[in-house]
Amino acid sequence: MSSISLNFKKGVDSAKQKLHNRFKTNKWLMGLLVAIPLAGGLSYLVYNQLVTVAKQQAQSKIQTAAVTRGNLTILVSANGTVQPESSVNVSHKTSGVLYQLLVKEGDFVKPGQIVAYMDNANIQGQLLQARGNLAAAQANLNKVIAGNRSQDIAGSTANLNEVQATYRQGADEVGRDGKNYKHREPSLNKH
């Protein structure tokens, strides 16, 4: 019996050894099975504290305001050429020298607004010449009335009427254009 008991004892020891080795392996696997979820949970907690909470705190620090309706000013900077929708040429009825320009290109003007003054020295000279012609015609008429024949009187009267019409036309032109002229019109002396 001793040999059987020795073999039996040897077999039990061997089985114990195998069971013990298996238990060691299982312990290691059990430790891994417990350690992996623990490491995952721990990493989730660390991530949550470092990233998510930091984002929430940053969002809570953002200032907000109530929504209101209003105009939004936008500044646009660009290169290019500006083309007008329409162009208007402004010209005077008579030619002359521009004395003073009261508006700049692109300004808005109202109907009837004076935009420029013309130098009226030329028209003033024409008016003075018409006055001289009128005075000469008046003198000729007075001379004819004083003692000439009826044909001379009629010719001088026609000449006087023609000169008066020229004078009135020049005076009307100065009056009409006088709004746009800077110089003062000399007084009229009728004979």
Side-chain angles (χ1 to χ4, degrees):
M1 274 221 166
S2 68
S3 79
I4 291 180
S5 71
L6 261 181
N7 278 343
F8 180 68
K9 201 173 185 186
K10 212 177 186 186
V12 169
D13 285 339
S14 165
K16 270 185 177 181
Q17 188 64 27
K18 283 183 182 178
L19 187 61
H20 181 62
N21 286 342
R22 192 183 247 179
F23 186 67
K24 275 187 179 179
T25 306
N26 284 342
K27 268 185 174 181
W28 187 78
L29 281 175
M30 288 298 275
L32 263 174
L33 287 176
V34 170
I36 288 175
L38 264 175
L42 186 61
S43 63
Y44 172 76
L45 286 175
V46 169
Y47 174 80
N48 191 27
Q49 287 297 319
L50 293 178
V51 177
T52 308
V53 173
K55 279 184 183 178
Q56 289 173 351
Q57 287 175 349
Q59 286 178 349
S60 68
K61 290 180 182 179
I62 295 174
Q63 294 181 353
T64 59
V67 176
T68 58
R69 184 178 293 253
N71 291 334
L72 181 61
T73 304
I74 298 174
L75 178 64
V76 177
S77 177
N79 295 331
T81 303
V82 177
Q83 295 292 329
E85 289 180 17
S86 63
S87 179
V88 177
N89 289 328
V90 178
S91 61
H92 198 269
K93 292 179 183 175
T94 59
S95 63
V97 177
L98 185 64
Y99 181 74
Q100 183 181 11
L101 185 61
L102 302 175
V103 294
K104 291 182 274 184
E105 187 175 334
D107 285 354
F108 288 100
V109 293
K110 297 175 186 169
Q113 178 181 346
I114 296 174
V115 295
Y117 289 114
M118 299 289 289
D119 186 13
N120 67 350
N122 190 21
I123 293 178
Q124 290 291 337
Q126 290 174 1
L127 182 62
L128 233 77
Q129 184 178 3
R131 281 189 189 139
N133 290 344
L134 179 62
Q138 186 73 42
N140 284 341
L141 178 63
N142 290 340
K143 183 174 146 186
V144 170
I145 290 175
N148 286 332
R149 327 177 273 150
S150 61
Q151 289 101 0
D152 291 336
I153 292 173
S156 293
T157 303
N159 188 24
L160 176 64
N161 289 339
E162 182 183 331
V163 170
Q164 282 178 334
T166 304
Y167 172 74
R168 271 189 244 112
Q169 182 182 0
D172 286 346
E173 190 174 321
V174 168
R176 188 174 55 244
D177 295 338
K179 297 176 204 169
N180 298 332
Y181 291 119
K182 187 79 173 169
H183 299 293
R184 223 179 74 228
E185 180 182 333
S187 63
L188 299 175
N189 294 327
K190 288 191 176 183
H191 296 289

